[in-house]
Amino acid sequence: MEPHTIRWGIISTGGIATTFSKDLLVDPATRGVTEVAHKIAAVGSRSIPSAQAFIDKLKAAPGVSSWGVESGALDDAKAYGSYDEVYADPNVDVVYIGTPHPFHHQNAKAALLAGKNVLCEKPFVMDLAELDELIAIAKENKVFLMEAVWTRFQPIAYAVQEALRSGKLGRPRRVIAEMSSFARIDERSDDDRIINPQLGGGALLDLAPYSAVWSMLALHQHPENTDTEPRVLDFSQRIYKRNGVDEMSAFTVKWEGLGEARLLTDLAAWPARDNACVIDCEKGQLIIDHPLYRPERFRIVPHPNAVAGSSESEDITEETEFRFPNTTGNGMQYEADHVALCLRDGKLESDRMPLAESRVVQGWFDTVRKGGDSALKDWRHTAGK
């Protein structure tokens, strides 16, 4: 049986859109996928030459992405000088939005109103009101909508959840997760998206989704969790004085009856390489390496006193490690496959990345952003506009 081929429209020609598009061109067979395939039908930019240069660059991409070029996945790709032309193209099944996050709401809204399915980069939007409007439009137009939290779809993410649900570790009690990056912000220009408040700059919205994803997988999706609306207990921010964005954000979230997560992101430091995320459970710990957006290893380790022969030692007494090397593509191909399967099956929402869970995390970000002192504190959302 021929695979179900999904035709993508790419919005934006920046770095994240380039990475995603290259992963669409990787042979699905290298990851054991036979049911779906991908083609790039259209690329939208601010000018036709810019969109065409993006397509030409993909055609010249070396390595694993060359398979898609040779297989014709770019043969019919059209270069458009506007996003609206991508939304109107009848050959586009789903739109991938890779613009800076302050534009996500407007771009996704236009695509949904045009009747297109949408995969929108994280963070989904700038404010929960924007997300609620997108969800309402998607439901009204009966089209698929999902936030592109690509880490959720990598094989290691499923393996971590399988280990947590096996019972070997017992109930999870706490998650400590850090996604930080020494971004050399003093060397960046004021218009750099990492520190430009008009582009949603700062640590919280850019990096915290990767800290949050592991708490959602470990605690929120745990079979014993009954708290569907975990709340932020406390938070702190360090403000970058030059332009007022948050250089660091840290916050604690509590799931009543299960556990807590302490989430940290910082633009002025690196996390520990071999324990960027520690999930402490009753009988041991599950520890995930940096970088949390695409880790390649996790370990199950005994508690310190279990090694010495305490009552806990009968369950986990030795460290074991599990490796998931990224050998084909960058890792975004897995979420693309998931979207393709959802569309093939006529789903309007992902069960792996449900909209309700995007709302939960967006609510955390709103609490920290609006309660802090960064330049984004009083950001005016575009819902209803």
Side-chain angles (χ1 to χ4, degrees):
M1 180 182 295
E2 289 293 316
H4 184 75
T5 300
I6 294 298
R7 302 168 298 178
W8 291 85
I10 307 298
I11 298 302
S12 178
T13 55
I16 194 70
T18 300
T19 300
F20 180 79
S21 297
K22 286 181 177 180
D23 278 359
L24 290 178
L25 302 176
V26 176
D27 183 359
T30 61
R31 52 189 182 272
V33 173
T34 58
E35 307 99 314
V36 294
H38 306 279
K39 295 190 70 173
I40 297 177
V43 175
S45 186
R46 286 175 289 184
S47 68
I48 292 178
S50 175
Q52 187 60 54
F54 181 87
I55 294 171
D56 293 342
K57 184 177 179 180
L58 290 176
K59 288 182 177 180
V64 292
S65 297
S66 62
W67 178 89
V69 178
E70 296 167 0
S71 300
L74 278 168
D75 285 356
D76 301 317
K78 295 181 180 179
Y80 290 117
S82 72
Y83 298 158
D84 287 340
E85 290 174 285
V86 176
Y87 307 149
D89 191 330
N91 293 314
V92 170
D93 298 314
V94 57
V95 172
Y96 168 81
I97 294 173
T99 51
H101 32 277
F103 306 106
H104 285 177
H105 170 252
Q106 296 173 350
N107 298 152
K109 181 177 179 178
L112 293 170
L113 288 172
K116 293 300 185 187
N117 302 297
V118 169
L119 173 66
C120 182
E121 262 306 329
K122 60 82 203 160
F124 219 147
V125 287
M126 294 291 291
D127 187 279
L128 188 56
E130 295 178 343
L131 177 52
D132 284 340
E133 183 176 54
L134 294 182
I135 292 173
I137 295 172
K139 290 182 177 179
E140 181 178 353
N141 287 272
K142 295 181 173 58
V143 288
F144 179 87
L145 175 64
M146 191 184 91
E147 184 180 13
V149 184
W150 57 300
T151 308
R152 283 192 181 224
F153 303 93
Q154 295 166 22
I156 191 172
Y158 291 94
V160 164
Q161 285 190 297
E162 182 180 351
L164 292 172
R165 294 172 179 177
S166 69
K168 180 179 180 181
L169 285 157
R171 285 164 56 95
R173 298 186 292 206
R174 184 183 68 182
V175 173
I176 299 177
E178 178 181 1
M179 181 59 221
S180 295
S181 173
F182 180 53
R184 301 183 185 278
I185 54 179
D186 288 339
E187 302 173 15
R188 295 177 182 264
S189 63
D190 287 335
D191 60 357
D192 189 296
R193 73 164 189 89
I194 297 296
I195 59 172
N196 184 346
Q198 296 304 311
L199 296 178
L204 177 67
L205 296 178
D206 192 56
L207 297 180
Y210 296 120
S211 302
V213 66
W214 294 102
S215 66
M216 291 297 287
L217 293 177
L219 295 174
H220 198 81
Q221 289 194 353
H222 194 275
E224 296 188 43
N225 177 44
T226 59
D227 186 356
T228 60
E229 297 184 358
R231 302 294 183 182
V232 173
L233 295 181
D234 58 69
F235 65 88
S236 62
Q237 289 188 309
R238 183 176 68 246
I239 305 303
Y240 185 56
K241 293 182 179 180
R242 172 152 63 112
N243 52 16
V245 300
D246 68 299
E247 184 179 64
M248 179 280 294
S249 287
F251 54 101
T252 304
V253 180
K254 182 177 180 61
W255 282 260
E256 290 292 342
L258 186 62
E260 298 179 357
R262 183 65 175 172
L263 309 178
L264 169 65
T265 184
D266 196 326
L267 292 174
W270 290 107
R273 183 171 296 277
D274 58 356
N275 61 346
C277 177
V278 178
I279 304 171
D280 186 68
C281 302
E282 293 172 322
K283 301 177 181 180
Q285 295 179 331
L286 190 150
I287 301 176
I288 305 170
D289 283 2
H290 171 80
L292 290 185
Y293 58 80
R294 193 190 60 188
E296 296 191 349
R297 183 185 70 146
F298 75 87
R299 294 170 291 138
I300 293 177
V301 302
H303 289 141
N305 62 340
V307 177
S310 75
S311 60
E312 298 183 27
S313 65
E314 61 186 49
D315 292 290
I316 299 173
T317 59
E318 296 181 355
E319 177 178 321
T320 55
E321 73 170 27
F322 304 84
R323 291 187 175 271
F324 296 81
N326 293 289
T327 57
T328 61
N330 189 67
M332 293 185 172
Q333 63 270 32
Y334 299 108
E335 72 173 354
D337 292 341
H338 178 81
V339 171
L341 288 169
C342 287
L343 297 181
R344 182 200 66 176
D345 297 340
K347 295 182 178 180
L348 301 182
E349 185 175 350
S350 164
D351 55 355
R352 179 68 176 172
M353 184 68 243
L355 295 169
E357 294 190 13
S358 288
R359 291 191 79 258
V360 167
V361 176
Q362 188 67 50
W364 301 346
F365 296 163
D366 280 10
T367 296
V368 177
R369 176 179 60 82
K370 294 178 180 181
D373 293 318
S374 79
L376 301 183
K377 176 179 181 178
D378 298 318
W379 182 276
R380 294 185 179 182
H381 64 72
T382 57
K385 299 178 183 179

